[in-house]
Amino acid sequence: MAFNGVTDEMYARVQHFYAHQMQALDALRFEEYAATFTKDGTFQHSPGVEPAVGHDGIVAELVAFHRRFDDDPVRRRHWFDHIALTPLADGALRSTVYALVVTVRPGGRPEIAPSCLVHDELVVEDGDVRLRSRRIEHDQMF
Amino acid sequence: MAFNGVTDEMYARVQHFYAHQMQALDALRFEEYAATFTKDGTFQHSPGVEPAVGHDGIVAELVAFHRRFDDDPVRRRHWFDHIALTPLADGALRSTVYALVVTVRPGGRPEIAPSCLVHDELVVEDGDVRLRSRRIEHDQMF
Amino acid sequence: MAFNGVTDEMYARVQHFYAHQMQALDALRFEEYAATFTKDGTFQHSPGVEPAVGHDGIVAELVAFHRRFDDDPVRRRHWFDHIALTPLADGALRSTVYALVVTVRPGGRPEIAPSCLVHDELVVEDGDVRLRSRRIEHDQMF
């Protein structure tokens, strides 16, 4: 059975894909995160920033972005909720997801900001889920 | 296979139903939100408020409720967690869900309040999931 | 189909298992929570604390831990996100999960702390999911 044209099995699979993908990002395993994209996948992590393209491009962008935390003992976790999937005409899936960034420093309390909307396009290649694009919208900018 | 008398497929389907339903509510697509209820479905969004009944009643209640935000540039997102389903004797499903309301204003930080417990009853009509009732309990009132 | 060696059905089932398990814990139904562990299951809820062992041991530990709230009208909810499963060599599943503790007092606003990482090992016994071990890591301690 299905909801909104997406099988129940695929829905569970996409959730599981995101769990591993985002734990990889938050653990700074950037190669593993980049490998969740297609070869020419695009990743725009912040509004107004040029999207990174391809695995090498995504890794380079993440390394550059995280330099700001070099002297900041910080742990970040990206929480997701309400993964809403919609089939596209070419067989891909549009995925729209709520996100909150949880930031923790030693001895501190979690800061929960910003609130974001994740706009993904997912493809299934040989049974494997991959992102062909990700664009992040920030709720505070409107 | 199943857990607590609910198949794994149905569990994934209910999660996906909620994702689209709550994104519709938060995007102020009230007609779409109301259509996720059965024709005579009831929706009590706050304790002590009379439940709205039926699609027109639910839309009217949401329009009235949201007037308080007319001069307030606010974006609200209802997060859900731990969707616990239990079959009822008549074939419906009781669903008990944690909820947090994330409120964002331009340039601000997310406010996360209140914490709620969602009490739903779900039915499956011709393969489609529908709410026949929703009642919200607020954690801060006890 | 599957992701990371775990079927889509099993992924949905584990999510549903967690929903009921954690709602039992937060509602202080300690016997029900303990019954989600195997007979000799271990539960270490805080770093540096000796793990509780077995159903009776887990109940006793929870009763002792919650005495701190005897004069504190508090409601706690453990939120989970990004459940990442990996099969182990013996057929069990390793489960790594993000957690946030939401604490509410009458008339107050939710406090969201601490942020944790949950390290579980799950087994399936006669179709039933059970925890054989749970260990909680706190993000603020690093």
Side-chain angles (χ1 to χ4, degrees):
Chain A
M1 292 291 291
F3 182 82
N4 202 42
V6 178
T7 65
D8 306 327
E9 289 77 9
M10 180 56 73
Y11 189 70
R13 203 178 319 158
V14 169
Q15 292 179 300
H16 200 189
F17 165 81
Y18 279 142
H20 283 276
Q21 181 198 42
M22 298 310 292
Q23 291 203 11
L25 177 62
D26 292 335
L28 312 182
R29 301 193 302 266
F30 299 148
E31 301 276 355
E32 185 180 332
Y33 177 80
T36 65
F37 287 73
T38 58
K39 277 185 188 175
D40 54 355
T42 62
F43 171 46
Q44 185 185 31
H45 61 74
S46 303
V49 171
E50 198 70 19
V53 181
H55 294 185
D56 291 351
I58 290 170
V59 169
E61 175 62 30
L62 288 170
V63 168
F65 177 81
H66 282 78
R67 284 215 188 94
R68 70 190 65 190
F69 302 120
D70 274 354
D71 298 319
D72 183 3
V74 68
R75 189 167 286 167
R76 300 166 81 234
R77 299 204 184 278
H78 293 77
W79 280 56
F80 276 16
D81 200 39
H82 287 319
I83 299 163
L85 304 181
T86 301
L88 298 174
D90 66 355
L93 291 172
R94 188 173 62 215
S95 175
T96 309
V97 187
Y98 290 5
L100 283 169
V101 185
V102 176
T103 301
V104 179
R105 291 181 175 83
R109 294 175 72 83
E111 294 173 28
I112 304 181
S115 171
C116 303
L117 199 60
V118 179
H119 300 277
D120 283 349
E121 287 187 12
L122 297 159
V123 293
V124 181
E125 296 178 334
D126 304 325
D128 287 329
V129 180
R130 291 280 179 272
L131 280 191
R132 71 176 179 194
S133 70
R134 165 164 288 176
R135 179 174 62 82
I136 311 298
E137 189 183 355
H138 281 232
D139 282 338
Q140 292 67 230
M141 306 168 65
F142 70 102
Chain B
M1 292 289 291
F3 182 82
N4 201 41
V6 177
T7 66
D8 305 327
E9 289 78 9
M10 180 56 72
Y11 189 71
R13 202 177 321 158
V14 169
Q15 292 179 301
H16 199 190
F17 165 82
Y18 279 141
H20 283 276
Q21 181 197 43
M22 298 310 292
Q23 292 203 12
L25 177 63
D26 292 335
L28 313 182
R29 300 194 303 266
F30 297 149
E31 301 274 355
E32 186 180 331
Y33 177 80
T36 65
F37 287 73
T38 59
K39 277 185 188 174
D40 54 355
T42 62
F43 172 45
Q44 186 185 32
H45 60 74
S46 304
V49 172
E50 197 70 19
V53 182
H55 294 185
D56 291 352
I58 290 170
V59 170
E61 176 62 30
L62 287 171
V63 168
F65 178 80
H66 281 78
R67 285 216 187 93
R68 71 190 65 190
F69 301 121
D70 275 354
D71 298 318
D72 184 3
V74 68
R75 190 167 283 165
R76 299 165 81 233
R77 299 204 185 278
H78 293 79
W79 280 57
F80 275 17
D81 200 38
H82 287 317
I83 299 163
L85 303 181
T86 302
L88 298 173
D90 65 357
L93 291 173
R94 188 173 62 214
S95 175
T96 309
V97 187
Y98 290 4
L100 282 169
V101 185
V102 176
T103 301
V104 178
R105 291 182 175 83
R109 294 176 72 84
E111 295 174 28
I112 304 180
S115 170
C116 303
L117 200 59
V118 179
H119 300 277
D120 284 348
E121 287 186 13
L122 298 159
V123 293
V124 182
E125 296 179 334
D126 303 325
D128 288 329
V129 180
R130 291 280 179 273
L131 280 192
R132 71 177 180 195
S133 69
R134 165 164 287 175
R135 180 174 61 83
I136 311 299
E137 188 183 355
H138 281 232
D139 282 338
Q140 291 67 226
M141 305 168 65
F142 70 101
Chain C
M1 293 289 292
F3 182 82
N4 201 42
V6 178
T7 66
D8 305 327
E9 289 77 10
M10 180 56 73
Y11 189 70
R13 203 177 319 159
V14 169
Q15 292 178 300
H16 199 189
F17 165 82
Y18 278 142
H20 283 277
Q21 181 197 43
M22 298 309 291
Q23 291 203 12
L25 177 62
D26 292 335
L28 312 182
R29 301 194 303 264
F30 299 148
E31 301 274 356
E32 185 180 331
Y33 177 80
T36 66
F37 286 73
T38 59
K39 278 185 188 175
D40 55 354
T42 62
F43 173 44
Q44 185 185 32
H45 62 75
S46 304
V49 171
E50 198 69 20
V53 181
H55 294 184
D56 291 351
I58 290 170
V59 170
E61 176 61 31
L62 288 170
V63 168
F65 177 80
H66 281 77
R67 284 214 187 95
R68 70 190 66 190
F69 302 121
D70 274 354
D71 298 319
D72 183 3
V74 69
R75 189 167 287 164
R76 300 166 81 234
R77 299 205 185 277
H78 293 78
W79 280 57
F80 275 16
D81 200 40
H82 287 317
I83 299 163
L85 304 181
T86 301
L88 298 173
D90 65 356
L93 291 172
R94 188 173 62 214
S95 176
T96 309
V97 187
Y98 290 5
L100 282 169
V101 185
V102 176
T103 301
V104 179
R105 291 181 175 83
R109 293 176 72 83
E111 295 173 27
I112 304 180
S115 170
C116 303
L117 199 60
V118 179
H119 300 276
D120 284 348
E121 286 186 13
L122 298 159
V123 293
V124 181
E125 296 179 335
D126 303 326
D128 288 328
V129 179
R130 291 279 179 274
L131 280 192
R132 72 177 179 195
S133 68
R134 165 164 287 176
R135 178 174 62 82
I136 311 299
E137 188 183 354
H138 282 233
D139 282 337
Q140 293 66 226
M141 304 168 66
F142 68 103

